Amino acid sequence: MKLEISASLNYRLSEPVDLMLQIEAADGHGQRVLDASLDLGAPEVLARVPASGGVCEPIWLRGEGTLRARYRARVEIDRPAVDFRALAAVPLHRLPASAVPYLNESRYCPSNKFHAFVDRRFGELEGGEKIGRMRDWIESRFTYVSGASNSETGALDSFVERRGVCRDYTHVMIALARAAHIPARMASVYALGVNPQDFHAVAEVYLDGDWHMVDATGMTLPTETARICTGRDAADIAFLTAYREIQFIEQAVTVEKI
């Protein structure tokens, strides 16, 4: 599977601003960047941050006036189609050090508050079967509503309101998985099937010795998805983080099969 990806950002910067940008598809881990281009204009500062765990290479920018970013890439997806529901959980004492932090609470995923619900609702299940039942529960009970959440909305808010966008579905998925003592993290991605097309968020859970994508919205498949970066929750994977106030002008993302 090959994807052609295009992303453009346009923001007004009323004063000098430091920015962190994460919009480039990762190279490796089930995908290969065939070619890519990134046009950032002429910012005052441009510096790359070394990739963490081989996934994502954030870019520091500092500029004033306008941020215009244009990214294009062709990415080949060679991620195998794996039925995560059939996979076993890894005993906690056998987890690799890299997976252990994703057992814990994070800013948007207060997983400790979900223990009682997970035990009551999914307690008889194990491993991938439990993750699959959680995913199905979220998709069947939540309503996808653009604008229903904001940068302060966390998994507990979304769990109560039963609505939101991909980040909200994913935060709940991660919180439930961690409450079941299964490592879970968040991935920003480009994917076919996202409607309306935009940067998308999915969960990744650690089962049977590897990370596996799980999309609680039901819109995407791992075999049609290009990972950008991963982190504990939305605070780590934001496509754009501004350290002063900036003004949105326009933004567009397209993902097509080639």
Side-chain angles (χ1 to χ4, degrees):
M1 167 71 72
K2 294 180 182 178
L3 302 178
E4 184 165 10
I5 296 163
S6 174
S8 62
L9 309 178
N10 193 352
Y11 286 79
R12 183 172 293 111
L13 317 177
S14 58
E15 57 183 327
V17 181
D18 290 300
L19 308 148
M20 179 173 279
L21 189 68
Q22 300 183 113
I23 64 172
E24 295 175 293
D27 193 21
H29 299 272
Q31 60 193 57
R32 184 163 64 99
V33 178
L34 303 176
D35 56 67
S37 64
L38 178 63
D39 181 5
L40 299 173
E44 177 185 340
V45 172
L46 192 160
R48 288 186 174 273
V49 179
S52 175
V55 179
C56 186
E57 189 176 77
I59 299 173
W60 277 113
L61 303 171
R62 181 172 176 81
E64 184 177 7
T66 302
L67 167 68
R68 290 190 177 91
R70 302 288 183 270
Y71 174 67
R72 293 184 180 277
R74 291 189 306 129
V75 181
E76 183 175 26
I77 310 301
D78 56 9
R79 191 173 296 112
V82 176
D83 180 9
F84 69 85
R85 297 171 190 262
L87 302 178
V90 177
L92 295 183
H93 67 280
R94 292 185 178 176
L95 287 172
S98 60
V100 171
Y102 298 105
L103 286 169
N104 303 325
E105 289 194 312
S106 58
R107 175 180 175 182
Y108 291 111
C109 301
S111 50
N112 288 351
K113 293 184 171 58
F114 290 89
H115 285 306
F117 173 76
V118 166
D119 287 345
R120 184 176 68 254
R121 188 84 190 191
F122 308 106
E124 78 284 3
L125 304 170
E126 299 291 339
E129 185 182 4
K130 178 177 285 190
I131 292 294
R133 201 73 68 85
M134 290 173 176
R135 194 221 71 86
D136 296 346
W137 183 88
I138 295 169
E139 184 183 14
S140 66
R141 284 163 174 79
F142 280 51
T143 303
Y144 198 96
V145 181
S146 297
S149 58
N150 57 42
S151 61
E152 300 300 317
T153 303
L156 196 56
D157 304 307
S158 302
F159 180 81
V160 171
E161 296 184 10
R162 304 287 170 88
R163 62 176 185 166
V165 293
C166 60
R167 79 187 288 277
D168 308 306
Y169 281 61
T170 301
H171 281 154
V172 176
M173 182 72 244
I174 292 169
L176 296 184
R178 291 177 185 171
H181 310 302
I182 296 173
R185 66 189 187 186
M186 195 171 195
S188 60
V189 302
Y190 295 109
L192 296 176
V194 177
N195 184 25
Q197 187 59 258
D198 204 343
F199 296 102
H200 192 55
V202 300
E204 293 189 342
V205 296
Y206 194 82
L207 295 167
D208 197 28
D210 204 355
W211 292 100
H212 301 275
M213 290 184 179
V214 179
D215 187 355
T217 71
M219 289 194 287
T220 70
L221 296 172
T223 53
E224 300 176 348
T225 299
R227 184 190 293 107
I228 302 171
C229 62
T230 60
R232 294 164 297 175
D233 55 32
D236 290 343
I237 67 161
F239 63 87
L240 179 64
T241 302
Y243 291 85
R244 287 180 183 271
E245 186 174 345
I246 62 176
Q247 183 181 353
F248 171 83
I249 299 175
E250 61 181 353
Q251 178 177 301
V253 172
T254 61
V255 181
E256 297 177 339
K257 179 180 177 180
I258 55 175

